[in-house]
Amino acid sequence: MSLLRLAFLSLLNRRGTAFLTVFCIALSVALLLGVEKVRNGARASFASTISGTDLIVGSRAGDVQLLLYSVFRIGDATNNVTWESYQEIAKRPEVDWIVPMSLGDSHRGYRVVGTTPDFFTRYQYRKDRALRFSSGVAFDDLFDAVIGADVADALGYSVGSPLVVAHGTASTGSGHDNRPFRVSGILERTGTPVDKAVHVSLEAIEAIHVDWRSGARVEALDIPEARVRAMDLTPKTVTAALVGLKSRIQAFRFQRYINEYEAEPLTAILPGVALTRLWSLVGIAERALSAVSLMVVFTALIGLVSTLLASLQERRREMAILRANGARPLHIAGLLITESGLLTLAGAMLGFAFVYIGLLGLTPWINDRYGLSLEIDLPTAYEWAILAGIAGAGFLAGIIPAWKAYRTSLADGMTIRS
Amino acid sequence: MSDDGLSGAGNRKTALRLENVGFVWPDTGFELNVADFTLNAGERVLLIGESGAGKSTLLSLICGVLRPDAGSIHIGGTDITALRSSALDRVRADTFGIIFQMFNLLPFASASENVLLPLRFARTRKADAPRDAASDLLIRLGLPEDAVHAKAGTLSVGQQQRVAAARALIGSPPVVIADEPTSALDSATAAEFMALLVQEMTRSNAALLMVSHDERLSVHFDRVVPLDTIARSTRKSVA
Ligand SMILES: Nc1ncnc2c1ncn2[C@@H]1O[C@H](COP(=O)(O)OP(=O)(O)OP(=O)(O)O)[C@@H](O)[C@H]1O
Ligand SMILES: [Mg+2]
């Protein structure tokens, strides 16, 4: 009869407490792993908020600031890029495609993005997913708008719904009530800021502002729609531009070219790099979460040690029998270490099972609800390391009761006085 | 049987010998001193003495579960007090079969698994035990066949003592040590148990050192040794 079998049989004999201990460890492991999965999912989703774009160009600003207003639509640009510069950049031989973005207006709290229809084919997220229309089509008419899934859900819009764009980004901004738009298309949910945006053409942004002079509406300039349509609506500026290069190798050289652009101060960022930097700023909470779940695992292991210690008294006879039949004190210690290792291993494996079963059940829902894509692939090297680490910690935790058993088995002799 | 042992005791090989052994229990200050005690190979000795006199302590010293503070204990040719603890544990596994008064078995393991336990730690005994030795022994000792693979905890006390005896005999160790193995049994069961044990002892030709209060059992033994004739015990007050 091997020590392993002995430990197993002895545990089976105390299956009630053993099960509770295993369950406790399993829950803590599931928590740790679950947090890890969500953390990775969140980071991956975040890092792939925008993909397929080689550079983002805007007026001179910090990397993170440019990323925030151009992709996340948080904050405002301090300056714009002139139409001339935009044109010149677009004509560069390295440039494969370029999509302008004109920001600064809102519709009932949702940001309005002036852009070109190319936006819907060029913007990608999560590696290589393209935007798709759940209904309708891209804007065609001057007063067409394409809205994100969240906008459609929250405001109850469908294709054909009218909407009014406000100047400025405050949700109660004075409306351009005389320029009603019409929803031409609704995008599928992406889990990116696109879900919360209203997309119109660059010309539409100009059209909204023909009545305006230096930020205030001039009633006298209440120009009828037919005249607006006839006007030259070429924009004077854009806020930022997404750039795709013919070859990615040129990204750094092209970035330097933009950063040293002579006509006006501009900044170009590589979205992946800027996203990673931004994540490292907001990632502190995420690390705190990991630390908390590690503490929970630690607590479960302390519970394990105390159950094992408590079982020693009633098992002194078992130890004496083993000793009398030739077991060395080290065998006795090994038995306890094996036992705690078995409990932890079982707990860790059960915890893994919890997480994967949970993922299988919940992933579609989480994806739908939060646009967070959790991967249900095989455990990563890191997760294997966690499993091994916890099993190792379980063996180590066994050392304390093992040492105690070692001492008592040396001192007890063959007859136990209790 | 007893006449054979008395006449032949002098020219037999010694199974074990204690000289000037001293031991003190640290907690209680109980002190045991054994000037000289010899057990010959194949000899059966009944050790008697008052309760608390130190009989169980002496058995623990002999089989090396406890280490003496002074003196020497020779088993075969070796002084086990000089051995490292790992070697001592191995000598115990190879030399002794041990039966307690009660609570001999791991209740969660089967009867046969309990019997095979010492082979897990022994070296020379392992070679002596054929594959089905455990169930053979158990059945010879009167355990019902269907109890061989039953959990030890489900057996009656009498059956448990048979399992303990089988475990002490498996692999034919040279010495069997028994600490009041029959005191938990009623007299009929005790008598039957002793008869079967002695029968198996004869078969394996092992020495038997047994502690008992029941002097009627002395018919099975070559010698009866009162503890106070070989040992002195005192109790120091512990600070
Ligand atoms: N584990 C122990 N720790 C400390 N002192 C002990 C221990 N075991 C026994 N003693 C002491 O040694 C003395 C002798 O005990 P022992 O069990 O050897 O007696 P015994 O002759 O076997 O008695 P009994 O016939 O009742 O079994 C006891 O009085 C006790 O004080
Ligand atoms: Mg005793």
Side-chain angles (χ1 to χ4, degrees):
Chain A
M1 189 163 50
S2 69
L3 273 192
L4 202 67
R5 177 158 165 77
L6 207 60
F8 179 72
L9 286 177
S10 175
L11 270 177
L12 209 62
N13 197 40
R14 289 168 282 126
R15 60 180 86 79
T17 33
F19 177 76
L20 275 183
T21 310
V22 167
F23 192 70
C24 207
I25 293 172
L27 278 187
S28 71
V29 168
L31 184 71
L32 180 70
L33 217 68
V35 164
E36 211 47 48
K37 284 274 176 202
V38 171
R39 226 162 68 94
N40 286 335
R43 183 179 25 222
S45 296
F46 185 86
S48 55
T49 304
I50 181 167
S51 59
T53 295
D54 295 319
L55 288 167
I56 301 174
V57 177
S59 73
R60 173 73 35 95
D63 291 13
V64 168
Q65 193 196 352
L66 175 53
L67 183 73
L68 280 177
Y69 72 70
S70 65
V71 175
F72 292 95
R73 320 272 153 70
I74 294 170
D76 290 298
T78 42
N79 262 307
N80 286 339
V81 181
T82 62
W83 187 245
E84 290 69 35
S85 301
Y86 171 78
Q87 293 284 312
E88 195 174 282
I89 293 166
K91 282 191 207 106
R92 294 286 302 182
E94 303 95 313
V95 173
D96 184 25
W97 54 265
I98 185 162
V99 173
M101 288 193 291
S102 192
L103 305 165
D105 293 302
S106 72
H107 169 68
R108 297 179 60 181
Y110 293 100
R111 296 288 182 115
V112 171
V113 182
T115 184
T116 60
D118 280 347
F119 179 83
F120 305 112
T121 55
R122 295 302 184 185
Y123 187 95
Q124 291 186 335
Y125 63 104
R126 282 198 215 161
K127 281 213 178 73
D128 52 4
R129 293 205 211 177
L131 298 178
R132 286 202 310 221
F133 286 87
S134 58
S135 61
V137 292
F139 46 74
D140 182 30
D141 184 75
L142 181 60
F143 293 112
D144 274 355
V146 170
I147 58 178
D150 282 348
V151 182
D153 281 357
L155 303 180
Y157 290 169
S158 52
V159 171
S161 298
L163 57 85
V164 163
V165 174
H167 179 67
T169 50
S171 55
T172 52
S174 55
H176 295 208
D177 359 21
N178 55 336
R179 300 277 177 262
F181 283 73
R182 187 192 68 94
V183 175
S184 73
I186 298 172
L187 295 168
E188 276 182 8
R189 188 176 304 283
T190 63
T192 71
V194 170
D195 296 348
K196 295 189 178 355
V198 175
H199 307 85
V200 300
S201 66
L202 278 182
E203 292 76 22
I205 298 284
E206 289 305 310
I208 295 166
H209 296 103
V210 292
D211 301 343
W212 292 66
R213 288 288 178 271
S214 57
R217 189 162 177 220
V218 185
E219 291 292 339
L221 292 176
D222 207 346
I223 307 164
E225 189 179 316
R227 259 193 68 201
V228 171
R229 286 185 184 279
M231 290 168 89
D232 171 22
L233 293 172
T234 308
K236 318 256 172 327
T237 61
V238 296
T239 315
L242 308 179
V243 178
L245 298 176
K246 292 194 176 112
S247 154
R248 300 195 91 175
I249 307 165
Q250 298 164 319
F252 286 105
R253 189 138 41 89
F254 197 71
Q255 183 183 30
R256 196 162 348 108
Y257 159 76
I258 300 286
N259 287 344
E260 291 163 3
Y261 196 73
E262 292 199 345
E264 61 180 312
L266 295 180
T267 297
I269 57 170
L270 302 161
V273 175
L275 280 165
T276 309
R277 183 174 303 172
L278 182 54
W279 183 257
S280 70
L281 293 177
V282 299
I284 294 169
E286 155 233 45
R287 262 166 279 152
L289 209 60
S290 284
V292 169
S293 46
L294 254 174
M295 290 303 292
V296 174
V297 173
F298 186 66
T299 315
L301 287 178
I302 290 180
L304 166 75
V305 171
S306 70
T307 351
L308 283 179
L309 281 177
S311 78
L312 283 187
Q313 185 58 30
E314 53 174 288
R315 295 169 67 199
R316 277 169 77 180
R317 222 178 284 283
E318 183 183 322
M319 314 276 166
I321 292 166
L322 289 169
R323 285 279 287 150
N325 284 286
R328 301 169 50 184
L330 276 178
H331 283 127
I332 308 270
L335 200 65
L336 277 145
I337 290 179
T338 309
E339 192 170 302
S340 95
L342 279 179
L343 286 172
T344 326
L345 199 68
M349 286 181 349
L350 190 64
F352 259 60
F354 282 171
V355 168
Y356 279 92
I357 292 169
L359 275 181
L360 278 177
L362 292 178
T363 300
W365 181 77
I366 293 176
N367 200 345
D368 237 42
R369 190 69 198 275
Y370 300 104
L372 191 64
S373 78
L374 300 181
E375 301 293 332
I376 319 181
D377 42 17
L378 288 175
T380 61
Y382 180 66
E383 285 162 5
W384 282 122
I386 289 181
L387 181 69
I390 289 172
F395 278 102
L396 286 183
I399 286 179
I400 301 162
W403 173 245
K404 183 123 192 290
Y406 178 92
R407 297 302 303 265
T408 39
S409 76
L410 276 182
D412 262 348
M414 288 201 306
T415 43
I416 309 302
R417 302 182 320 152
S418 30
Chain B
M1 282 177 221
S2 54
D3 50 347
D4 164 54
L6 281 172
S7 57
N11 44 37
R12 273 181 179 165
K13 284 208 290 180
T14 16
L16 62 91
R17 175 168 189 159
L18 279 70
E19 283 172 306
N20 301 318
V21 167
F23 175 81
V24 182
W25 276 113
D27 294 359
T28 50
F30 176 89
E31 184 176 347
L32 185 72
N33 289 290
V34 184
D36 186 21
F37 173 69
T38 306
L39 180 72
N40 291 317
E43 187 186 23
R44 287 181 210 134
V45 170
L46 181 66
L47 188 66
I48 55 172
E50 286 167 41
S51 181
K55 303 182 294 295
S56 298
T57 304
L58 177 62
L59 294 189
S60 291
L61 285 165
I62 287 175
C63 68
V65 172
L66 294 178
R67 278 178 175 268
D69 303 317
S72 64
I73 301 174
H74 283 271
I75 291 177
T78 43
D79 180 1
I80 61 164
T81 59
L83 293 179
R84 286 190 306 127
S85 79
S86 56
L88 175 58
D89 291 322
R90 177 142 312 137
V91 167
R92 174 168 62 259
D94 278 332
T95 311
F96 296 104
I98 297 172
I99 314 172
F100 304 127
Q101 184 173 7
M102 51 181 9
F103 305 121
N104 270 292
L105 308 179
L106 300 174
F108 46 81
S110 73
S112 62
E113 280 175 320
N114 267 285
V115 172
L116 292 170
L117 184 64
L119 303 189
R120 163 70 183 74
F121 305 106
R123 284 292 139 91
T124 57
R125 270 171 92 177
K126 192 178 280 178
D128 293 347
R131 279 185 67 82
D132 40 10
S135 42
D136 281 359
L137 253 175
L138 283 169
I139 289 166
R140 282 211 302 276
L141 283 164
L143 197 77
E145 210 161 326
D146 56 351
V148 168
H149 297 290
K151 272 215 180 121
T154 64
L155 303 179
S156 75
V157 180
Q159 288 173 332
Q160 292 195 19
Q161 288 306 78
R162 288 162 210 264
V163 176
R167 188 180 57 197
L169 291 163
I170 189 107
S172 311
V175 181
V176 171
I177 284 179
D179 193 353
E180 307 189 46
T182 57
S183 64
L185 309 178
D186 63 69
S187 55
T189 319
E192 193 201 341
F193 174 85
M194 267 319 288
L196 284 167
L197 178 65
V198 165
Q199 179 189 313
E200 285 303 318
M201 298 294 308
T202 314
R203 232 180 131 103
S204 73
N205 205 23
L208 172 64
L209 178 60
M210 182 168 133
V211 166
S212 178
H213 291 289
D214 188 354
E215 298 206 22
R216 281 174 301 173
L217 297 178
S218 61
V219 291
H220 297 294
F221 292 85
D222 302 323
R223 275 198 289 158
V224 175
V225 176
L227 183 66
D228 52 15
T229 62
I230 57 162
R232 206 161 30 82
S233 58
T234 46
R235 186 177 297 273
K236 287 178 184 163
S237 58
V238 273

